[in-house]
Amino acid sequence: MSQYDTDLSHGMHVVHDGPPQAPPILLIHGSGASGASWGPVVPALAEHRHVLRVDLPGCGRSPATESYDVPRQAARLAALLDDLGLRSVTVVGHSSGGYVATALAERRPDLVGTIALVSTGPALDALLPQPMILRLLLAPPFGPLLWPRRTDAMLRKGIDATAARPVDVPADMIEDVRGISCRSFRTVLRGNTAYLAERGVPERLAALAVPVLVVFGASDPRWEPSSAHRYESVPHARLEILPGVGHLPPLEAPEATAGLLLGLDARGVDVPAAGPET
């Protein structure tokens, strides 16, 4: 598997895996994470796809920025794809990365061949109470004081709290999570909330022509799992529920997740997956 990094492009660090001439797939991480969160699925994808992993601004190896609004994040990705000359890209978003993927298709449908949303909550009323450790780290006045004192054990506990069972968290993901500032994380969350408050994701997708794959864990502790069925109202969407999986399919079920993504071509039509069986 060939891999190379690019310098910062539009404020984002980008890692490329797989053959550059292969069909492109763009992986967008969720809030408080980085491109490293996709690590377990990359080897299977890179056998057959040109995989691009971005660190959104303020995350991983990308510097902080003034605005983390979802449409602004999408505009940065559009500029990146324009610079690379890529079109009909399969755009995959995990959790709130799905909002950025949706906003990219809203702004630039010419760039997006199909969308895959992984554990992306459809609307604000589907959000479940946050795990206690996350509430402690985010709530003032103590959250900002605790934030710089987070240990590796605390970070792993926070990640595990969103899974259905303990997961093997990549070391580079822990390092990247530690580097995110409390201000950036809270500002990202506000931007996500504003995007959902304006309009739910299924309603946004229904207005687009792009095909959609929705992957949801049956035991997701962040979003009400039954809310995934709201995506069935989107005419060109397919829903896949993963039994025994929480909010982190790329970590909890990497083979199944990669297999589903490899089963999509640039038009969102099922093709025989050349990767692991699901």
Side-chain angles (χ1 to χ4, degrees):
M1 179 181 71
S2 62
Q3 180 183 90
Y4 62 96
D5 294 11
T6 61
D7 294 331
L8 287 175
S9 179
H10 302 281
M12 297 177 296
H13 175 254
V14 187
V15 178
H16 300 255
D17 292 276
Q21 71 277 11
I25 182 168
L26 172 66
L27 305 180
I28 309 170
H29 63 80
S31 305
S34 71
S37 62
W38 291 103
V41 305
V42 168
L45 294 180
E47 290 293 321
H48 309 279
R49 301 288 186 270
H50 173 195
V51 183
L52 298 91
R53 283 181 288 168
V54 297
D55 291 342
L56 294 174
C59 300
R61 295 169 63 179
S62 297
T65 188
E66 288 297 319
S67 173
Y68 298 96
D69 290 346
V70 171
R72 182 72 187 99
Q73 302 276 46
R76 294 185 180 102
L77 290 177
L80 170 67
L81 296 177
D82 279 337
D83 284 355
L84 295 172
L86 296 177
R87 293 292 185 273
S88 296
V89 178
T90 296
V91 181
V92 187
H94 173 247
S95 193
S96 63
Y99 308 144
V100 181
T102 301
L104 176 60
E106 289 177 313
R107 296 176 64 94
R108 292 289 304 278
D110 59 306
L111 297 177
V112 181
T114 188
I115 295 175
L117 305 181
V118 181
S119 304
T120 297
L124 289 174
D125 63 356
L127 184 64
L128 297 173
Q130 294 205 71
M132 178 60 71
I133 188 170
L134 294 181
R135 295 204 297 271
L136 288 174
L137 288 171
L138 290 173
F142 299 111
L145 298 176
L146 290 173
W147 194 270
R149 295 173 171 81
R150 295 168 300 160
T151 64
D152 283 4
M154 290 175 64
L155 294 174
R156 291 182 186 280
K157 184 176 180 180
I159 294 170
D160 274 345
T162 65
R165 57 183 179 273
V167 294
D168 184 13
V169 182
D172 54 350
M173 181 177 175
I174 293 293
E175 182 179 351
D176 287 348
V177 170
R178 187 189 299 111
I180 299 171
S181 73
C182 185
R183 177 191 175 278
S184 292
F185 188 43
R186 294 177 67 181
T187 306
V188 167
L189 293 181
R190 285 197 295 270
N192 296 337
T193 298
Y195 185 73
L196 283 181
E198 182 181 81
R199 197 178 186 194
V201 183
E203 291 79 10
R204 292 176 180 274
L205 294 172
L208 304 175
V210 60
V212 181
L213 168 68
V214 177
V215 180
F216 226 87
S219 301
D220 193 319
R222 294 288 292 118
W223 298 92
E224 172 55 53
S226 64
S227 71
H229 293 283
R230 300 185 192 182
Y231 287 103
E232 293 173 345
S233 65
V234 181
H236 37 274
R238 188 176 101 245
L239 174 63
E240 294 285 347
I241 303 293
L242 300 180
V245 174
H247 190 62
L248 304 173
L251 300 184
E252 297 177 74
E255 290 188 1
T257 302
L260 289 169
L261 298 180
L262 284 170
L264 298 172
D265 69 5
R267 300 176 304 281
V269 179
D270 287 333
V271 296
E277 294 182 0
T278 60

